Amino acid sequence: MQPQIILLKEGTENSQGTSQLLSNITACSAVVDAVRTTLGPRGMDKLIVDQGGKATVSNDGATIMKLLEIVHPAAKTLVDIAKSQDAEVGDGTTSVVLLAGEFLKQVKPFVEEGVHPRIIIRAIRKATQLAVEKINSLAVKIEKSNASEHRALLEKCAATSLNSKLIHQQKAFFSKMVVDAVLMLDDLLPLNMIGVKKIQGGALEDSQLVSGVAFKKTFSYAGFEMQPKNYVNPKIALLNVELELKAERDNAEVRVESVSEYQKVVDAEWQILYEKLDKIVKSGAQVVLSKLPIGDVATQYFADRDMFCAGRVPEEDLKRTMKACGGSVMSTAHDLTDAVLGQCETFEEVQVGGERFNIFKGCKNAKTCTLLLRGGAEQFLEETERSLHDAIMIVRRTIKNDAVVAGGGAIEMELSRHLRDYSRTIAGKEQLLIGAIAKALEVIPRQLCDNAGFDATNILNKLRQKHAQGQCWYGVDVMKEDISDNFESCVWEPSIIKINALTAASEAACLILSVDETIKNPKSGGHDAPQMPQMGRGMGRPM
């Protein structure tokens, strides 16, 4: 009798071999089914309610993946690629998950028949490389010389991105707004310089783009209403100073013998505050913004001198104001020279819906802008913001990488045809595997048809025929329930999205295929922990 060798801690689950691989693939398919129906202009939305009872309505693949609390270790890789696609390109998050899942689904029969995963991985990598080369050769470069054409193109790309979102009815309005917003930024196109403020109420068309900074009126004290609300060419002081009387005992312990000494302490405190205020007034600033509170004494002091002040301005808004209007954030009221004061053409306070907004327009370094979004319910506004984020990312990418391909499943059909033709020129197992991947690429046009309720088989047959005849831009036309030349109907996407989606999906598929054993350590202190022995009966505890 051999003694039994215990290698792993008791309670560890481990499973390995083909069965493990197949169960991983099945888990990934389940994740894909969760986002499958959100693809395309006719995609459905998901309503996800988290533990706190907050409901989120979303159509954005990455948002849905983040909110699904997935525990299966292999399926988590799909969440990661959706997140990376969102961070890298901003759109195409659903496509990435779909492609990865479909790659796995198509190679599953080969795994079952005992083809070694390494051979499959090699074929997937080969196919991806071929596909990326093909995209690069097909992609159409954009003419940047003609500004109006370039702009029209950016608007089309933004509109394609908004097609599948909740706000697709207003895509003409929003795609213009998004392009305006991105073109206001400087060459590096930093995302955090586009502020988005959501205000409930009003119609979507009431949304506006402010070329400068806008933020909600902050908490204010007595005397605030006496301050003027409009300035032309004001100087702006940006502070990180608290302009408020504090009871001295907060900061120090002072032992006083007589009332007159106590009076001196109080006077000193007022003296300090008035000195600060006086310095700010003398600097010539008319608008004073501070990150810390500005108390009621200060508010009234400024109001008497026709100055505007706002305390407790959120840090990001203060930074954006500094970027737009120049100047710098000071942590003292001393030496406020013109060099550290910002400037803009007009400052006004405007009522938007139920809120008041402070708006700085005509900033001389305006490399920043603010989108004021209006709309009904809170969930709706959040989804609008997510949709616009996707569109903004797309426009940024298109400006940086100036090549586009046709969307609507056209490029996927073309890649599928290319890979299928290639697979016929090679021998061995790779031929079947590359053929399977070619089939997997058809999932995008197929899903577009399914989500719109069309007969997918019929439409895919028509598409295959067109692509075989060499018309590479034919894709699904959701409006006419037919196929059309999507390049002419302006369904365009930056080629970088497609390349990124393909490489991320194939990497994820390879990663999942290369795992052949999962070891789960027993939970420490979870609900599976061994029962604690019962406590003894203490003094006075009931039986």
Side-chain angles (χ1 to χ4, degrees):
M1 290 281 288
Q2 285 287 319
Q4 187 187 6
I5 298 171
I6 295 179
L7 180 65
L8 298 170
K9 205 163 139 193
E10 179 188 8
T12 306
E13 308 164 25
N14 74 330
S15 46
Q16 66 187 68
T18 313
S19 60
Q20 170 60 34
L21 188 50
L22 291 173
S23 91
N24 283 350
I25 293 179
T26 316
C28 292
S29 299
V31 176
V32 174
D33 287 341
V35 292
R36 185 181 286 279
T37 51
T38 64
L39 184 76
R42 294 280 182 272
M44 299 298 195
D45 297 341
K46 304 284 179 212
L47 183 117
I48 301 169
V49 184
D50 60 14
Q51 289 152 348
K54 181 175 181 293
T56 311
V57 179
S58 181
N59 188 302
D60 179 37
T63 309
I64 297 170
M65 299 294 272
K66 275 180 211 153
L67 292 171
L68 293 175
E69 289 177 4
I70 293 172
V71 287
H72 193 286
K76 273 189 183 155
T77 51
L78 293 183
V79 183
D80 293 340
I81 57 169
K83 279 186 189 165
S84 85
Q85 176 82 1
D86 198 34
E88 190 59 40
V89 213
D91 197 21
T93 42
T94 312
S95 320
V96 139
V97 180
L98 265 179
L99 283 170
E102 195 65 19
F103 284 161
L104 292 171
K105 188 171 150 192
Q106 293 294 344
V107 296
K108 189 176 175 184
F110 297 103
V111 178
E112 283 166 347
E113 285 162 18
V115 178
H116 195 282
R118 279 286 148 208
I119 296 175
I120 301 178
I121 289 173
R122 198 168 68 224
I124 292 182
R125 292 224 161 108
K126 177 85 180 140
T128 311
Q129 185 195 342
L130 284 165
V132 171
E133 284 166 11
K134 181 75 175 164
I135 294 180
N136 284 331
S137 69
L138 279 174
V140 178
K141 276 273 184 273
I142 306 162
E143 276 302 310
K144 280 197 173 169
S145 49
N146 186 338
S148 59
E149 270 181 30
H150 186 219
R151 198 201 145 83
L153 173 117
L154 293 177
E155 282 183 16
K156 280 165 194 157
C157 286
T160 305
S161 166
L162 291 173
N163 255 337
S164 60
K165 307 288 185 217
L166 251 181
I167 51 175
H168 60 91
Q169 258 92 24
Q170 282 85 8
K171 70 178 179 196
F173 173 73
F174 279 117
S175 53
K176 264 200 187 59
M177 195 151 126
V178 164
V179 175
D180 283 339
V182 178
L183 290 179
M184 278 176 197
L185 303 181
D186 56 11
D187 299 337
L188 286 173
L189 304 178
L191 248 191
N192 56 354
M193 285 292 126
I194 299 184
V196 180
K197 304 285 172 207
K198 305 188 282 281
I199 313 143
Q200 281 190 30
L204 271 176
E205 275 83 9
D206 297 343
S207 304
Q208 51 176 324
L209 176 68
V210 176
S211 59
V213 188
F215 51 81
K216 203 156 85 179
K217 165 177 174 280
T218 53
F219 178 80
S220 51
Y221 289 93
F224 184 82
E225 288 309 331
M226 289 148 56
Q227 299 179 350
K229 303 291 185 242
N230 284 342
Y231 291 99
V232 180
N233 290 330
K235 288 185 178 168
I236 303 161
L238 307 164
L239 303 174
N240 189 356
V241 183
E242 194 165 0
L243 298 174
E244 199 165 10
L245 282 173
K246 272 246 166 87
E248 264 318 319
R249 63 163 182 270
D250 289 0
N251 307 336
E253 184 176 321
V254 187
R255 307 232 162 161
V256 287
E257 301 292 319
S258 65
V259 175
S260 60
E261 282 182 17
Y262 178 66
Q263 189 60 44
K264 275 182 197 163
V265 174
V266 176
D267 288 348
E269 195 184 8
W270 281 80
Q271 203 56 46
I272 294 168
L273 179 67
Y274 276 126
E275 251 175 41
K276 279 187 195 167
L277 295 176
D278 191 44
K279 290 234 165 66
I280 294 172
V281 174
K282 284 200 175 121
S283 73
Q286 287 163 299
V287 177
V288 183
L289 303 178
S290 173
K291 202 167 104 179
L292 296 173
I294 293 183
D296 41 5
V297 177
T299 310
Q300 284 166 7
Y301 189 90
F302 287 141
D304 294 342
R305 287 158 186 73
D306 279 349
M307 288 163 65
F308 174 91
C309 68
R312 299 190 188 161
V313 179
E315 188 171 7
E316 53 164 336
D317 289 332
L318 202 62
K319 277 191 176 151
R320 289 196 10 251
T321 312
M322 181 178 87
K323 257 293 208 305
C325 307
S328 49
V329 177
M330 300 293 284
S331 51
T332 158
H334 294 271
D335 37 88
L336 283 174
T337 56
D338 279 0
V340 296
L341 295 179
Q343 247 186 332
C344 68
E345 279 173 23
T346 56
F347 165 84
E348 54 180 345
E349 185 170 298
V350 188
Q351 185 86 16
V352 182
E355 307 284 0
R356 284 207 200 157
F357 272 74
N358 298 333
I359 298 182
F360 298 83
K361 283 190 181 157
C363 312
K364 58 177 191 297
N365 324 11
K367 299 287 186 216
T368 173
C369 56
T370 312
L371 296 167
L372 298 180
L373 299 183
R374 306 296 311 276
E378 184 187 353
Q379 283 96 347
F380 189 77
L381 273 174
E382 281 175 10
E383 178 60 8
T384 307
E385 183 186 7
R386 280 192 289 268
S387 311
L388 289 183
H389 168 261
D390 281 12
I392 287 170
M393 291 290 279
I394 290 295
V395 175
R396 284 178 64 214
R397 283 290 160 216
T398 317
I399 292 178
K400 283 187 185 171
N401 310 65
D402 48 354
V404 291
V405 292
I411 186 78
E412 282 85 3
M413 284 307 287
E414 185 57 26
L415 295 177
S416 170
R417 182 195 65 79
H418 178 61
L419 289 180
R420 202 176 280 115
D421 291 353
Y422 172 79
S423 72
R424 297 197 182 112
T425 62
I426 52 175
K429 295 176 188 165
E430 273 201 345
Q431 176 181 8
L432 296 169
L433 290 165
I434 290 186
I437 288 153
K439 186 156 188 260
L441 283 168
E442 291 183 351
V443 66
I444 303 280
R446 178 178 301 266
Q447 198 59 51
L448 285 172
C449 296
D450 285 350
N451 288 353
F454 304 160
D455 178 1
T457 321
N458 181 11
I459 287 185
L460 281 181
N461 280 338
K462 286 186 190 170
L463 279 178
R464 285 192 199 108
Q465 178 198 1
K466 284 285 186 197
H467 283 264
Q469 291 165 2
Q471 292 176 316
C472 62
W473 294 130
Y474 265 77
V476 184
D477 186 338
V478 184
M479 302 305 158
K480 300 200 195 86
E481 190 171 341
D482 197 14
I483 60 174
S484 68
D485 186 331
N486 278 353
F487 208 83
E488 277 182 18
S489 37
C490 299
V491 181
W492 294 350
E493 304 195 47
S495 59
I496 180 110
I497 296 187
K498 292 301 175 197
I499 294 174
N500 217 31
L502 272 171
T503 44
S506 72
E507 280 307 314
C510 293
L511 178 68
I512 289 163
L513 286 168
S514 60
V515 173
D516 76 331
E517 179 168 14
T518 309
I519 300 170
K520 265 192 186 166
N521 286 330
K523 282 205 178 76
S524 49
H527 47 82
D528 304 337
Q531 288 295 310
M532 292 294 288
Q534 283 295 308
M535 296 290 289
R537 188 174 158 262
M539 292 280 291
R541 279 187 49 192
M543 290 297 280

